[in-house]
């Protein structure tokens, strides 16, 4: 960089006071400079240094001046202990005093607050204050400065202390230095994340601190005592002046970069001019001067890689193609930069550092590492680097050094070297272009001692470049002339003026650019030069991108080569035009080139251009042209077609006519519905060929098409009918919904020739819902399948089934749509039957599964139980009907699913009562019924691992607890409350449950005797709930509950001997015992309960309790064993006491029970659920249907429906093991933790 003096002044001593410039201050807009000289305040114009005002208001030396942040006022203070506030027109408006000399002043950068300091205190003044707020200090204040936000003020003191105060004067941070702090300044850069303060101490150091007092970096040893520290360049640099009589430029980290100026005595102040690269310097000898700073560009470039200096100490490497950048912090003054491939050379004041790019799989990764350092002060004018060497230029010499600093070779020239550039080449053998002051242009290979002469230009070389194939050399001389030479013949190929730089296109031999005088010129082959406005230097040219260095920034300018492509097209060189176009042109240029190449029949170039434009139409045109030319068709046909593609129809017609094919022109215009032009060319064709009539039908058809395109559909329909194009006519009529017109056309059609069109008519009628005319069309065709489809689409099921009786082969077209329609209309039971008839039982199952899941999610648990039962029936129907059949693995799985679904149906049915009692304000269920249901559910849960989806164990337990406590089942209630406390229950319940649990503990831990169930087999009293399930704890007999009140029924289960089938068992039960006359002794009037429908047990003989002297009673006494009846025992059992519980599956045997109380008749429904007959009949009357199976009470539907399931004649061959699990609806809770009776 360079500093030049803009102006300077040295006022004489006056009034007996020596003129010393202690302080200067710039107006914020940089237009004026104020300073103190002796006892005067001087105001200068910054442009030319003219003295604007000389203000004599102080009585002694002026030590400090300061401008307000908006430039309306400035202040001065000095040895007379007085501070004066001046307007920008140099009029004094306010004065106030301190008790001692004023040492420094500082306006707040965000307000009109002014800080002033003396040897014993500092004051804060603001226009809105009536008095100055003064604060004592421990030592003499030498300097002060505000942070950029104006919230804190730093005071530098003689005792080495830096005191940071807030706006009110309170001390926040104290920093102790070892020497007087003569100057300090805060960084004004608003982009900095922290406030940083530069501190100059008279121990010869420059240091930096954050607002919190933490030091940033180490002290910088200056070698002199700093008298002035100020920021420059918006906070990027620091200017330091001091006792060595110089002003120096440092980086913001404190690195000394260069000396800006030297004065005749100590430099007391140095300040940056706002908005300009200039500083003002005041000295002990009373002189004041301003200096303009010029920053030079230090950079290097290789192809698209550009490296340049930033902030004097950093190097930024930029990839110009992607605009990626990486910063390398050198922490020293960067003097020279060179870059080549993956190497980067940086010259610092005392060393040369070589960096290498880190290899990475990511091509965009731009990380560099330090490779080596040459510890030597290698002074040079120019610097370049190759793969393994560094070349230094020193006037007339080139010095070649290895990366380790060893000098290998020296080239001495006859003249001063003005330009050098590495021109590529193999490693350790790169070539270097050299331009000399005497005009000689050389090429040096670094592994050769002898330079190679290229040309002798005759004038001092300013810039050089070689073409991509090394055949041409471009030279720019000191006369701004640019000359291009043929390297081999030395002939001049081009000359131009007004150039300061030149660059060949790196990918195209015959193209280069040069810049100068604000103009960028581009030369391609032997075509005229193309120019455009551009400031700066052209330093690189790659394809369509020109890299231009303007001032200190590198710009990438994209220049499309459209003009060059046009010149090549005019020349007829389509290959050259395409080569240039590939460098970078618009799609329109590629299209124009493709069309021109096609016209010139250069089809290869045309195809490439159209492919780049992704225009399939023209790609097909090229392919068709190639094919046609191979067949011998004339080229003019394809040129005319190309014109037509470009909408140049009249030019295309002329091309056709010139080739003698006017008929093609006529066809073209006819296809475009330009009938007038077509007629003209038809006449022309008739003249040249003596005829050429076109049939009336063809014309009418074309006119109809034109009428259709112009939306005159009615005319188009009439013309299509006239031309017998019925299909198009019907399509238009259908599009416009003209029903009457379609009926008219349909009746005109002939079945033999126009069957397809009649079919389309029927389709339109069906779409409009016009069933009568659709039937007419289908009947005209005799299309029964179409008629059937019509009935189905119109949901005319009566007509569909009537037609199905006549044509049963269309059954698949009716049953499945009918089933879907039933399902869509919520007629699910009918839909199930329809799906089965259609042979799609899996759809019935899927429908039931979805209904079940929806019922559970919507908490309709009784519906869920019903659907699960229906699903169990579906599962039973899918199993073999022969009980003796061997079961496959799939059948075993289906059988297990049958058991799961049936079990699940009972659980959801019972839980619905609990849920309704909990959720609804009123319940019709008796407390005893709810208690029985809770016991039933707990017994179910005890034998399973998981809770079904949607079922809350908390609801069941709270129901048991409440009603158990109310009915006297205290032990059961206590058990339920204990389990509730271990579960996660609603927060609203918690307090109530806790209280109820405490109350329950105050009651006796027993259940009422009248509540405990009695086993009707062994007469054992059982607990209300058992871990074994709903079985007797003594004999293991299963309890049977009524599915209305869920009370235990007086029934004992027995089993058939292995050799007795169900059919034989029914016969034996109905037989009279061998020792009694027929029709007496066993209680006449009783019916055997088989597996069909709801059966009622009516007793009219008054039979009492079972006697214990028969074989059945004897087996009842034996605990934990099955009661097995042989043929004799079955004959002796009264039919009125036998209940057969159907299984619902042909593979599962029915279950047999003996009714132990003849006064309590029992009814069994189709699902195998048992009821007390009176309760069952009452429930049927209340609901209007059976409670569980939902069958009509006044029909035999349930019996008829269930009668389809046969009972096994013999036991199944293998029943398999019932698999664990709960079917499709899973739950997350487990019930393994239920321990009943504790």
């Amino acid at each position: 960089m360079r500093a030049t003096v803009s102006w300077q002044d040295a006022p004489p001593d006056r009034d007996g006071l020596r003129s010393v410039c202690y302080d200067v201050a710039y107006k914020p807009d940089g237009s004026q400079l104020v300073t103190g000289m002796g006892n005067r305040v001087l105001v200068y114009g910054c442009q030319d240094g003219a003295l604007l005002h000389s203000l004599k208001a102080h009585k002694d030396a002026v030590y400090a001046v300061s401008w307000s942040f908006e430039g309306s006022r400035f202040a001065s203070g000095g040895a007379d202990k007085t501070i004066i506030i001046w307007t920008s027109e140099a009029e004094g408006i306010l004065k106030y005093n301190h008790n001692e000399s004023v040492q420094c002043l500082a306006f707040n950068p965000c307000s009109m607050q002014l800080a002033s300091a003396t040897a014993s205190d500092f004051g804060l003044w603001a226009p809105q204050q009536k008095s100055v707020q003064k604060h004592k200090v421990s030592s003499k204040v030498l300097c002060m400065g505000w942070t950029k936000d104006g919230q804190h003020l730093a005071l530098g003191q003689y005792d080495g202390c830096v005191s940071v105060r807030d706006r009110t004067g309170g001390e926040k941070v104290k920093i102790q230095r070892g020497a007087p702090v003569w100057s300090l300044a805060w960084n004004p850069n608003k982009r900095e994340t922290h406030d940083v303060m530069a501190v100059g101490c008279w121990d010869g150091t420059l240091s930096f601190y954050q607002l919190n007092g933490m030091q940033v970096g180490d002290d910088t040893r200056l070698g002199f005592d700093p008298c002035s520290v100020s920021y420059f360049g918006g906070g990027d640099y620091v200017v330091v002046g001091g006792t060595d009589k110089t002003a120096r430029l440092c980086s913001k980290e404190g690195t000394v970069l260069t000396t800006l100026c030297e004065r005749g005595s100590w430099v007391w102040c140095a300040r940056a001019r706002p908005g300009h690269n200039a500083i003002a310097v005041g000295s002990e000898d009373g002189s004041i001067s301003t200096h303009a700073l010029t920053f030079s560009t230090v950079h290097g470039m290789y192809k698209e890689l550009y490296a340049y200096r930033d902030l004097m100490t950093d190097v930024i490497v930029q990839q110009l193609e992607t605009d990626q950048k990486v910063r390398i912090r050198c922490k020293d003054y960067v003097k020279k930069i060179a870059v080549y491939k993956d190497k980067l050379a940086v010259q610092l004041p005392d060393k040369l550092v070589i960096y290498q790019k880190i290899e990475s799989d990511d091509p965009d990764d731009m990380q560099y590492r330090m490779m080596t350092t040459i510890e030597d002060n290698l002074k040079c004018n120019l610097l370049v680097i190759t793969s393994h060497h560094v070349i230094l230029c020193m006037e007339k010499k080139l010095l070649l050094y290895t990366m380790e600093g060893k000098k290998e070779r020296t080239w001495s020239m006859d003249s001063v070297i003005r330009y050098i550039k590495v021109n590529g080449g193999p490693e350790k053998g790169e070539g270097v272009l050299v331009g000399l002051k005497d005009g000689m242009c050389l090429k040096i290979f670094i592994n050769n001692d002898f330079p190679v002469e290229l040309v002798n230009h005759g004038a001092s070389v300013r810039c050089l470049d070689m073409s991509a194939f090394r055949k041409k050399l471009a030279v720019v001389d000191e006369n701004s002339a640019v000359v291009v030479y043929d390297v081999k013949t030395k002939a001049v190929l081009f000359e131009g003026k007004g150039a300061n730089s030149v660059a060949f296109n790196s990918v195209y031999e015959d193209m280069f650019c040069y810049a100068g005088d604000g103009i960028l010129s581009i030369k391609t082959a032997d075509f005229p030069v193309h120019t455009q406005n551009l400031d700066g230097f052209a330093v690189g040219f790659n394809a369509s991108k020109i890299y231009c260095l303007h001032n200190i920034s590198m710009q990438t300018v994209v220049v499309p080569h459209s003009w060059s492509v046009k010149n090549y097209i005019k020349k007829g060189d389509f290959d050259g035009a395409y080569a240039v176009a590939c460098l970078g042109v618009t799609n329109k240029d590629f299209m124009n080139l493709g069309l021109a190449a096609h016209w010139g029949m250069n089809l290869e170039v045309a195809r490439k251009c159209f492919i780049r434009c992704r225009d399939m139409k023209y790609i097909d045109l090229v392919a068709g042209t190639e094919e046609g030319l191979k067949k011998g068709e004339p080229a003019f046909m394809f040129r005319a077609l190309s014109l037509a593609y470009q909408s140049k129809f009249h030019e295309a017609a002329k091309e056709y006519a010139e080739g003698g094919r006017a008929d093609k022109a006529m066809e073209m215009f006819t296809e475009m519905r330009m009938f007038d032009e077509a007629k003209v060319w038809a006449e022309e064709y008739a003249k040249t060929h003596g005829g050429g009539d076109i049939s009336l039908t063809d014309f009418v058809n074309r006119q109809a098409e034109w009428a259709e395109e112009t939306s005159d559909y009615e005319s188009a329909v009439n013309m299509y009918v006239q031309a017998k194009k019925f299909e198009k006519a019907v399509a238009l009529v259908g599009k416009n919904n003209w029903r009457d017109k379609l009926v008219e056309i349909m009746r005109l059609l002939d079945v033999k020739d126009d069957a397809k069109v009649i079919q389309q008519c029927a389709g339109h009628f069906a779409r409009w819902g016009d069933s009568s005319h659709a039937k007419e069309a289908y009947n005209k065709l005799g299309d029964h399948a179409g008629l059937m489809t019509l009935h189905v689409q119109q949901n005319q099921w009566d007509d569909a089934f009537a037609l199905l009786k006549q044509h049963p082969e269309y059954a698949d077209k009716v049953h499945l749509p009918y089933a879907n329609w039933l399902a869509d209309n919520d007629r699910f039971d009918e839909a199930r039957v329809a799906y089965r008839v259609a042979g799609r039982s899996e759809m019935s199952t899927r429908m039931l599964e979805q209904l079940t899941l929806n019922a559970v999610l919507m908490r309709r648990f009784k519906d869920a139980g019903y659907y699960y039962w229906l699903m169990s029936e579906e599962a039973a129907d899918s199993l073999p009907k022969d009980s003796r059949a061997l079961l496959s693995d799939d059948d075993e799985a289906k059988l297990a699913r049958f058991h799961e679904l049936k079990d699940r149906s009972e659980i959801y049915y019972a839980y619905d009562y609990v849920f309704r009692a909990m959720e609804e304000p009123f319940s019709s269920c008796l407390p005893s019924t709810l208690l029985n249901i809770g016991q039933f559910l707990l017994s179910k849960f005890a034998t399973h691992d998981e809770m079904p989806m949607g079922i809350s164990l908390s609801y069941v337990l709270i129901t048991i607890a409440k009603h158990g406590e109310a009915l006297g089942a205290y032990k059961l209630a206590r058990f339920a409350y204990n389990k509730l406390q271990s579960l996660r229950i609603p927060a609203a319940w918690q307090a109530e449950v806790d209280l109820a649990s405490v109350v329950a503990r105050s009651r006796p831990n027993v259940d009422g005797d009248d509540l405990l169930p009695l086993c009707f087999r062994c007469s054992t009293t059982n607990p209300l709930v058992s871990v074994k399930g709903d079985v007797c704890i003594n004999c293991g007999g299963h309890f049977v509950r009524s599915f209305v009140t869920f009370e235990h029924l007086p029934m004992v289960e027995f089993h058939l001997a292995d050799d007795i089938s169900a059919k034989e068992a029914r016969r034996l039960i109905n037989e009279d015992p061998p020792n009694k006359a027929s029709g007496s002794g066993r209680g006449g009037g009783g019916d055997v309960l088989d597996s069909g429908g709801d059966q009622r047990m009516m007793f009219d003989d008054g039979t009492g309790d079972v006697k214990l002297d028969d074989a059945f009673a004897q087996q009842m006494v034996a605990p934990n064993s099955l009661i097995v009846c042989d043929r004799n025992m079955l004959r002796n059992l009264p039919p009125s006491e036998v209940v057969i519980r159907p299984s619902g599956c042909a593979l599962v045997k029915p279950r047999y029970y003996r009714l132990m109380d003849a006064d309590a008749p029992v009814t069994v429904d189709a699902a195998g659920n048992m009821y007390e007959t009176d309760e069952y009949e009452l429930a049927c009357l209340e609901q209007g249907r059976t409670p569980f199976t939902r069958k009509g009470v006044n029909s035999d539907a349930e019996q008829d429906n269930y009668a389809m399931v046969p009972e096994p004649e013999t036991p199944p061959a293998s029943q398999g093991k019932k698999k664990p699990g709960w079917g499709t609806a899973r739950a997350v809770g487990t019930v393994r933790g239920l321990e009943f009776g504790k």
Side-chain angles (χ1 to χ4, degrees), residues 612-627:
R612 279 183 172 267
C613 295
R614 299 182 179 181
D615 195 322
M616 290 302 302
K617 178 177 66 175
Y618 285 101
I619 294 173
D620 292 339
L621 174 64
V622 173
T625 303
E626 287 181 336
E627 191 67 24

Side-chain angles (χ1 to χ4, degrees), residues 879 887-895:
L879 289 167
L887 301 183
S888 63
D889 291 341
D890 186 49
D891 290 337
E892 292 281 0
K894 291 180 179 179
L895 184 59

Side-chain angles (χ1 to χ4, degrees), residues 414-416 418 435-441 456-461:
D414 296 333
S415 180
V416 175
R418 296 291 303 275
L436 304 182
K437 187 175 182 179
D438 62 3
M440 185 65 68
C441 300
N456 188 350
H457 181 62
S460 179
V461 176

